[in-house]
Amino acid sequence: DAGVIQSPRHEVTEMGQEVTLRCKPISGHNSLFWYRQTMMRGLELLIYFNNNVPIDDSGMPEDRFSAKMPNASFSTLKIQPSEPRDSAVYFCASSSPRRKNEQFFGPGTRLTVL
Amino acid sequence: KQEVTQIPAALSVPEGENLVLNCSFTDSAIYNLQWFRQDPGKGLTSLLLIQSSQREQTSGRLNASLDKSSGRSTLYIAASQPGDSATYLCAVRGTGFQKLVFGTGTRLLVSP
């Protein structure tokens, strides 16, 4: 059973550039979550999808952030334009009611914006 | 608004000791509670999930308990090993929505 897959694992970009992070949830999971982790703020939920539909995006910091889930096996988180304060580790997680909604996390994407 | 607190923030013990990590939450109306471990530079690994109707869960040397009424959970690690060194996070899910609220973690160091 493959876990949650994220790409890229590391991303270094310059301020103002567009960044796209990708996630493949565990097969059969119907909920997908994007989190951001920083030393200052810990783990924060950015957005949550259920059956490919965004349910709560109240954690998205601002309009520069957008997320999509075009199908059950793929999601993207886009930052445009990126800023140095966006530097963080971004995690994707998925869950299924058939597994008690236990959330399983991907390895994360470490984003550095110069 | 749910708030999750973990004490202590850091813990250093010699190998072989039994230890307890604490997690407290302010709103007792929870759906479940998860314990994770995170190794430096890595993602989160789910250790145990306790449903709101359960009192405890066990996996190997790990035992997690839940007391909803007092808003507390503990993670008990028996016979600690250097490989247990990591940051341990607890996270609480409220009813009706799948959002997990995370504590700030306990950084554990087990020395040989």
Side-chain angles (χ1 to χ4, degrees), chain B residues 78-92:
Chain B
S80 58
Q81 303 171 358
D84 295 330
S85 299
T87 295
Y88 290 80
L89 295 152
C90 77
V92 172

Side-chain angles (χ1 to χ4, degrees), chain B:
Chain B
K1 179 185 172 185
Q2 180 72 271
E3 293 182 2
V4 182
T5 305
Q6 290 187 247
I7 295 173
L11 183 62
S12 182
V13 300
E15 182 178 7
E17 274 203 9
N18 302 323
L19 55 100
V20 174
L21 308 181
N22 297 293
C23 172
S24 61
F25 46 95
T26 55
D27 185 350
S28 62
I30 67 170
Y31 180 82
N32 62 34
L33 183 147
Q34 258 183 279
W35 281 94
F36 296 88
R37 79 174 268 169
Q38 185 174 27
D39 295 280
K42 305 289 186 181
L44 280 70
T45 300
S46 180
L47 297 173
L48 290 164
L49 178 142
I50 310 178
Q51 300 282 61
S52 63
S53 58
Q54 297 176 311
R55 297 283 292 182
E56 65 178 339
Q57 278 286 343
T58 298
S59 175
R61 294 182 295 107
L62 305 180
N63 176 276
S65 67
L66 174 64
D67 184 343
K68 250 191 352 174
S69 60
S70 66
R72 293 181 183 176
S73 176
T74 61
L75 179 66
Y76 176 82
I77 303 176
S80 58
Q81 303 171 358
D84 295 330
S85 299
T87 295
Y88 290 80
L89 295 152
C90 77
V92 172
R93 178 193 157 185
T95 57
F97 178 51
Q98 296 200 46
K99 175 177 179 177
L100 279 179
V101 178
F102 281 84
T104 50
T106 294
R107 192 168 63 254
L108 173 66
L109 176 63
V110 181
S111 45

